[in-house]
Amino acid sequence: MIEIDGKNYVLKYNISRIEMIENSTGKSVMADIRANSGMLSIASLKLYFAYGLKEEGSDVFYPTKKALEIAEQLILRDGYTTVCGTVVEALERDCPFFFRVG
């Protein structure tokens, strides 16, 4: 869970959201994650975060423009590594098909 200004948020991903990320970044998610051992560029991190953000308990994704602002605020507040770790953990949880071995 992510708390900003008294509101709770979560990151959730599905194939549709992954396609949106890939279309926006011009790279496959796995190529992006593996390129630098999961350390995404700031621009990619903000997009990954924004496309996965929901208010806790909501079925609707948060508006992308506002979510990008929240992503930047969170990176400045909690640090790049923390936010990047949160995004990668959510991807592992919601998209295990990316991380299967064998």
Side-chain angles (χ1 to χ4, degrees), residues 1-10 54-57:
M1 180 173 40
I2 301 156
E3 188 272 320
I4 301 246
D5 296 332
K7 287 187 178 181
N8 293 325
Y9 299 89
V10 294
K54 290 183 172 188
E55 277 194 58
E56 186 177 47

Side-chain angles (χ1 to χ4, degrees), residues 1-4 7-13 17 21 46-56 58-72 74 86-87 90:
M1 180 173 40
I2 301 156
E3 188 272 320
I4 301 246
K7 287 187 178 181
N8 293 325
Y9 299 89
V10 294
L11 293 176
K12 294 284 184 187
Y13 297 97
R17 298 316 271 191
I21 291 167
K46 288 170 62 176
L47 282 171
Y48 279 59
F49 185 92
Y51 280 122
L53 191 67
K54 290 183 172 188
E55 277 194 58
E56 186 177 47
S58 176
D59 291 331
V60 179
F61 286 93
Y62 209 70
T64 305
K65 186 175 180 180
K66 290 180 183 178
L68 286 166
E69 292 170 7
I70 290 173
E72 186 168 328
L74 200 62
T86 300
V87 167

